[in-house]
Amino acid sequence: MTEVSGRGAVVAAISARDIWKRYGAVAANRGAWLEVAPAEIHAVVGENGAGKTTLMRIVAGLLAPDSGTVTVEGRVVTGWKARDAIAAGVGMVHQHFMLVPTLTVAENVVLGMEPRWLARLLVDRSEAVRRVRELCERSGLAVDPAKRVAELTVGEAQRVEILKTLWRGARILILDEPTAVLSPPEVRELWNVVRALRDAGTTVVLITHKLDEVLDISDNVTVMRSGTTVQRLRTSRATPQALAQAMLGRELAPPVPPPRDLPPGRVLLSVRDLVVENRGYRAVAGVSFDLRGGEIFGIAGVEGNGQTELVEALAGLRVPSAGSVLLDGREITRATVHERTRLGLAHIPEDRQRRGLVLDFSVARNLVIGRLDRFQRRFVLAMAAIAANARRLVEEFDVRPADPSLPARALSGGNQQKVVVAREMGREYSVLLAAQPTRGVDVGAAQFIRARLRQARDSGKAVLMVSADLDEILELADRVGVFFRGRMVAVLSRSEATPQLLGSYMTRGGSRDS
């Protein structure tokens, strides 16, 4: 079932053969292989835990394989170190950014390879800014070199990560889920840059779950499943259905019909005139709405328009400067996170690593965060109960590997997300705040999470869902609110909400009352 793209005798940019990588009893790669031609955009797809990122970390020198062979541009490099890969022109941009927020863009880009003067004793900061600005112009990655990273949008931070690899001379660029946190306009800008890099001779490997992106941007695609490579083919001969079936080893379930019109339940979350400030400006500027049992209220909007601050204020992670929040009639505006949890509020945060998990804790321990009081006896943790809870949730939410003793950082990003979803949705709650619930998960896992959100709605729970994915909003939401510059500029019924109308409100605001 394997098909190559036929480029004659050209030496492969990357060739990996029979790669095995084990973590204890779990094999992340099981005889995996990969062939990437020079100056192409090559997509690597597969379910969460399929071994995609592990394989590419081996290529980038971040991991050593247990067995197998890796060659880069004809040179055998099996087991090399990250510094060797960087020196050879291989750069990897990770799904979770690795930037220093207090430094400027230029300082982050040149960190460790700074231009110097005065017998190389001092860093030449003005030269660094000048050369980084030239790199921005040459690559098409527009960002202000003098701006601090903490002040950047998510899309700008993504560009800085790519600039870092280009500064170090990358001829082979590996992008791990590069669009997971980008808005549609930012994705289009990134693809323009990636195509320009390809046309200039750079090889780009794209790890992604988004099949529409694969079909839009790549020249060839490799499909992985359960640690093995199952297919390689020309993208022009691929279809979304065939790729999904190869990834999952089964046909994807048929589309779910739109939400049905149901009589509204009682108000479970009431927000009035909420104001939330962030570094001196009003991120949320007087927002009011009610959330009822038995509905999914979707919040759409380009990221950075206040959705993050809204959810964090509702979850108790930020203190609003004005307004009120009631949970099932109880005042919780200034309640602690623990108090809100006890009253029935669950929260899937948008950043699973920063807000959702303690990466060095085991999966089992992460699954009881916020509920330890229910798993202890006289101040002693009930380890048997914690283990039983973990086994139940790992099986119910299909977390892979199915080993609750593993640290959370050993899991793929998508399986880390499943752990967060399992913890929040696997307990008693009445209101769920779901921020980007399917970000960075594969098509099968996204379908599973969306089904759980529908089950919550159908059982009478109230779900507030924030998503940058308009298709997800339109698939799940009973009502859609649109955020623009800190305000909810429209609230639309499911029948009113169209991609065109939502896009108009998201990019230009509007005057429709909420």
Side-chain angles (χ1 to χ4, degrees), residues 33-62:
W33 59 269
L34 177 71
E35 191 87 10
V36 180
E40 74 161 335
I41 301 171
H42 193 107
V44 181
V45 302
E47 285 190 280
N48 298 125
K52 310 179 300 296
T53 299
T54 299
L55 180 60
M56 297 317 304
R57 284 179 175 171
I58 288 171
V59 171
L62 298 167

Side-chain angles (χ1 to χ4, degrees), residues 287-353:
V287 167
S288 300
F289 63 89
D290 288 331
L291 178 62
R292 296 177 177 273
E295 75 164 338
I296 298 175
F297 184 30
I299 302 291
V302 176
E303 292 199 49
N305 276 270
Q307 307 96 306
T308 295
E309 290 83 357
L310 170 69
V311 173
E312 290 183 352
L314 298 179
L317 300 173
R318 289 179 183 268
V319 178
S321 54
S324 65
V325 180
L326 275 68
L327 178 63
D328 200 9
R330 296 172 181 246
E331 172 72 44
I332 63 164
T333 311
R334 284 168 175 73
T336 66
V337 173
H338 181 71
E339 289 169 339
R340 294 172 200 236
T341 300
R342 184 172 52 80
L343 291 172
L345 185 70
H347 175 215
I348 300 171
E350 68 177 51
D351 188 331
R352 54 181 166 259
Q353 292 201 349

